[in-house]
Amino acid sequence: MKKIINSPDKIVEDMLQGFVKANKRILRFSRHTTKVIVKKEIEDKVGVVIGGGSGHEPLFMGYVGEGLADAVVVGNIFAAPTPNAILTAIKEVDRGKGVICIFGNYSGDVLNFEMGKDLAAMEGIDVTNIVVKDDVASASKNEKKSRRGIAGDLYMIKILGAASQIGKSIEECFDIAKQVDRSLVSIGVGLSPGTNPVNGEPGFYLEDGEMEFGLGIHGESGIEQRPITTSNEISKTLVELLISEMRGSMAKEIAICVNGLGSTTLMELYIIANDVQEEFDVSGYNVSDILVGNFCTTQEMGGFSISAILLNEELKTLFNMKAISSHFYKGV
């Protein structure tokens, strides 16, 4: 796979330099490390830090902005940020009201953010870690704590960013995070792998005419490999799986995200979005909002994921609040 880079050793640094230069009106580097990017103006509120490995852009750095995160801490390619960088991000956004950290459920991220939290506690900063675990293909409902985080991160960031913006306390933000966790489900389908830009290695292998059903954000294996079929048929199967997870809730209003994994065209994603909404419609769900685009990618991976979140009145209000960043916009 061809990549336009300078040096493999400088991929992340070069990317971050270009990103901050392109958004210099609203963002800056931390004074201590270029692996932490911060809003230029941070309000007197609960701080919101997000982060994870590089290679999944615009996740995470694209979601620092108004009504979203206050800072992002960036790891190397497909690698967790370091505990010291996480501590730096926490200290950059701390205004004495505590800090929430949002990240996906991967062992390196969990370990390092816990260490960052412990380091912050030693400096008197109250930190709550929020682990996103929305991928229904990675573990059963009874083992939800083992599920991976995929594109559902976007909903957690959006809703908690709004909660922080309107002055919710750290305890209230955590309670809202638990609501999101109970209400959020995702599943993905891979058609072709993304390649690691450092070593050129693909994330997985597929035969012609096959798709990876239920894969993870790095290309981790899913439920099984299946023959590629139509958007209608794939959407029907995925939506049925998501509905089986949501069954039992009284809520029937949902927001959905059709997320491209890197190389799937917008033409395809809008076809999928149409089919996905129709499947939810016939199942009695009211789809009040659809996000379509590349929100959580793995380089040039082909395929898509679907996320759905059940909306009660509080979550709906927070989700619909204004938010602006380099790669996300939500109007009022």
Side-chain angles (χ1 to χ4, degrees), residues 46 100 160 163 166-179 314 318:
V46 170
I100 55 177
L160 289 181
I166 63 173
K168 296 287 188 182
S169 68
I170 193 168
E171 294 81 12
E172 289 171 320
C173 286
F174 185 59
D175 287 341
I176 291 165
K178 289 190 288 187
Q179 290 185 55
E314 182 174 32
L318 292 169

Side-chain angles (χ1 to χ4, degrees), residues 59-168:
L59 192 74
F60 285 87
M61 64 189 196
Y63 307 129
V64 178
E66 178 183 348
L68 295 162
D70 299 307
V72 61
V73 54
V74 181
N76 289 326
I77 303 294
F78 306 154
T82 66
N84 284 336
I86 292 166
L87 175 63
T88 295
I90 290 169
K91 292 169 70 173
E92 286 278 4
V93 307
D94 176 45
R95 296 297 181 269
K97 297 185 176 180
V99 176
I100 55 177
C101 294
I102 304 170
F103 52 92
N105 192 22
Y106 297 90
S107 57
D109 294 287
V110 172
L111 176 63
N112 287 4
F113 272 94
E114 281 299 312
M115 292 176 66
K117 175 182 176 179
D118 291 342
L119 292 171
M122 293 171 63
E123 300 198 24
I125 304 172
D126 184 12
V127 175
T128 296
N129 282 344
I130 295 166
V131 186
V132 182
K133 42 190 185 298
D134 55 313
D135 177 21
V136 304
S138 54
S140 69
K141 210 169 186 178
N142 294 332
E143 300 175 323
K144 187 171 182 177
K145 289 184 178 180
S146 299
R147 285 180 170 175
R148 301 179 289 230
I150 50 176
D153 288 79
L154 179 60
Y155 284 111
M156 189 71 81
I157 295 165
K158 171 66 190 75
I159 289 170
L160 289 181
S164 168
Q165 191 80 36
I166 63 173
K168 296 287 188 182

